[in-house]
Amino acid sequence: QVQLVESGGGLVQAGGSLRLSCKASGIIVSINTMGWYRQAPGKQRELVADITTGGSGKYEDSVKGRFTISRDNAKNTVYLQMNSLKPEDTAVYYCNLRWLRGNYWGQGTQVTVSS
């Protein structure tokens, strides 16, 4: 099955940037959607951004213009470039891969933005 490993989280000052990476391994179907979700303490997990193998992406409204999602299909890797970070972006960020018959999650990586 699919395994997802995230990296790139950390502590950053407000206004700073981070780049998250997620590498998928295992049997990867050619048509899928990869994305990033986040969850802050006491809050529901929410979609931040996702992207299809064809390159069609979408973003949660609060990150539009600040975050950019991209993927390298040959490497089965998805990236999230996060600029102009705000304290409200603080959360555990989870990588997700889904296809018609599967839904997979990474272990999560902590992003903390201080003011």
Side-chain angles (χ1 to χ4, degrees), residues 39-44 90-92 110:
Q39 187 169 25
K43 297 187 66 178
Q44 195 169 15
T90 296
V92 177
Q110 177 71 48

Side-chain angles (χ1 to χ4, degrees), residues 7 19 27 47 60 67 77 88 92-93 95 110:
S7 62
R19 190 191 194 209
I27 301 174
L47 174 69
E60 193 273 325
F67 293 7
T77 300
E88 50 262 46
V92 177
Y93 284 68
C95 182
Q110 177 71 48

Side-chain angles (χ1 to χ4, degrees), residues 17-33:
S17 298
L18 287 172
R19 190 191 194 209
L20 305 183
S21 298
C22 174
K23 170 71 174 179
S25 61
I27 301 174
I28 311 299
V29 298
S30 60
I31 302 175
N32 62 68
T33 299

Side-chain angles (χ1 to χ4, degrees), residues 13-87:
Q13 296 274 72
S17 298
L18 287 172
R19 190 191 194 209
L20 305 183
S21 298
C22 174
K23 170 71 174 179
S25 61
I27 301 174
I28 311 299
V29 298
S30 60
I31 302 175
N32 62 68
T33 299
M34 296 185 72
W36 294 92
Y37 291 70
R38 66 186 180 187
Q39 187 169 25
K43 297 187 66 178
Q44 195 169 15
R45 187 174 299 186
E46 66 177 0
L47 174 69
V48 178
D50 63 20
I51 185 168
T52 67
T53 48
S56 178
K58 63 182 179 183
Y59 298 87
E60 193 273 325
D61 286 343
S62 70
V63 308
K64 289 180 180 176
R66 300 189 297 122
F67 293 7
T68 302
I69 191 168
S70 61
R71 63 186 293 164
D72 185 333
N73 291 334
K75 296 181 178 181
N76 293 314
T77 300
V78 64
Y79 307 93
L80 186 67
Q81 179 66 47
M82 305 186 293
N83 298 326
S84 301
L85 283 161
K86 304 175 181 179

